[in-house]
Amino acid sequence: MKFAAVLNQDGGTLRTIDLAAFSDRVRQTLETAGHTLSIDVVAGKDVAETLDYAASRRTVDVVLAGGGDGTISAAAARLMGKKKALAILPAGTMNLFARGLGIPQSLDAALKSFADGEIIAVDMATANGQPFIHQFSIGMHARMVQLRERMEFGSRLGKIGASAKAAWATIKNPPAMNVTLSIGEAEMTARISGIGVTNNLFGEGHLPYADNPAGGVLGIYVTVAQQRAELVKFFFNMARGKWRDNEHVEIHQSDRTVLKIHSGSRKFRAVMDGELVRLDRETIIEIQPGALNVLVPASIAEAKAA
């Protein structure tokens, strides 16, 4: 296969490694397996343009994206509905979408798995037409990200620490939003502290990622907890992957949901694949079954086929 690798030198753990040496390993691993490739190591500000070019090249079979969650989400958005496949180098903080695909979590192990990997189709989702691969969320998650962005950190551990501080600040002063959520024929109006809409349902007992990335449904998680003890329990259960153990979380699934915001004139934000975005007064969120081709380890492809 013909690979086009786009490595964000400012993204995720790629900021901390020798990218010249790593690029040599990428080339050696894939070429030894009979593949060909081009490699672009670019600054964060140039990632979007470079991904646009890689996705548009007719001779390319796989776009190999390396960087943080924003880089991977941007690459997936450009490949949605195309024959080209996405290969993910897990260089982000949590690499949740990559985990759901069964991609090894070290860069070199992931790279080796691509040498004899296979292409499968998985789902994406859209929020008012904008693609996402992991989650669209409002309320607590958005406040946490806003608070974390005001902090300084220079490493993965630093980001985790900043996230913990932001989570505690959110617990002490949780948001409350009046919303209407339409799920299929049902409609609910509630005062919530958070809603997360995910690309397929999260699995239980591990970090928040989908066990089946081709399940064809949105996971809809509505949190109404407001008291400090309730919120501490919510975050504790979330960290353990025990979504169904929390009486203050309602879980739904659907192929489409409509979210309407009723709270005042204040400008709220949403988080989409880890990035803050503007929150519209009405957001239509839909699953896009089989919209993205991804390169995964051969063992994963065989297990899903079985």
Side-chain angles (χ1 to χ4, degrees), residues 187-223:
E187 184 175 275
M188 60 178 288
T189 298
R191 187 169 179 82
I192 58 92
S193 49
I195 294 177
V197 183
T198 63
N199 178 19
N200 286 290
L201 286 161
F202 288 157
E204 290 283 313
H206 53 62
L207 290 170
Y209 61 82
D211 287 337
N212 181 7
V217 297
L218 300 170
I220 304 164
Y221 298 81
V222 182
T223 309

Side-chain angles (χ1 to χ4, degrees), residues 67-277:
D69 295 338
T71 299
I72 304 307
S73 183
R78 285 157 174 79
L79 296 172
M80 179 176 166
K82 296 182 181 292
K83 291 184 179 180
K84 291 182 179 65
L86 171 65
I88 300 171
L89 282 172
T93 305
M94 304 301 288
N95 305 309
L96 297 171
F97 188 58
R99 289 177 188 271
L101 297 175
I103 294 172
Q105 290 303 290
S106 80
L107 294 177
D108 286 309
L111 182 60
K112 290 177 182 177
S113 78
F114 297 147
D116 62 350
E118 296 184 17
I119 294 172
I120 63 171
V122 298
D123 305 335
M124 291 187 68
T126 54
N128 284 350
Q130 296 299 309
F132 64 94
I133 54 175
H134 179 60
Q135 180 174 250
F136 174 95
S137 57
I138 65 170
M140 288 190 296
H141 189 200
R143 178 167 292 181
M144 283 176 55
V145 173
Q146 284 180 300
L147 291 172
R148 188 184 66 203
E149 288 198 344
R150 298 172 189 167
M151 303 175 189
E152 293 186 4
F153 50 86
S155 66
R156 181 184 180 192
L157 287 177
K159 184 175 181 180
I160 292 173
S163 295
K165 291 179 182 178
W168 180 242
T170 301
I171 287 172
K172 292 192 294 183
N173 184 27
M177 303 171 67
N178 297 318
V179 305
T180 296
L181 192 65
S182 300
I183 305 171
E185 298 298 320
E187 184 175 275
M188 60 178 288
T189 298
R191 187 169 179 82
I192 58 92
S193 49
I195 294 177
V197 183
T198 63
N199 178 19
N200 286 290
L201 286 161
F202 288 157
E204 290 283 313
H206 53 62
L207 290 170
Y209 61 82
D211 287 337
N212 181 7
V217 297
L218 300 170
I220 304 164
Y221 298 81
V222 182
T223 309
V224 295
Q226 283 290 328
Q227 300 301 314
R228 185 172 296 184
E230 298 170 352
L231 291 164
V232 168
K233 181 179 179 181
F234 166 76
F235 278 103
F236 179 67
N237 284 338
M238 183 183 71
R240 297 186 304 140
K242 299 293 185 181
W243 293 95
R244 300 185 187 279
D245 287 357
N246 198 316
E247 64 270 25
H248 295 101
V249 178
E250 293 185 13
I251 304 174
H252 307 270
Q253 65 182 65
S254 179
D255 59 0
R256 183 178 187 270
T257 186
V258 181
L259 173 65
K260 297 179 181 179
I261 309 299
H262 304 301
S263 293
S265 59
R266 180 180 170 185
K267 291 184 179 179
F268 289 102
R269 305 292 296 277
V271 174
M272 191 155 62
D273 286 346
E275 303 290 330
L276 283 169
V277 298

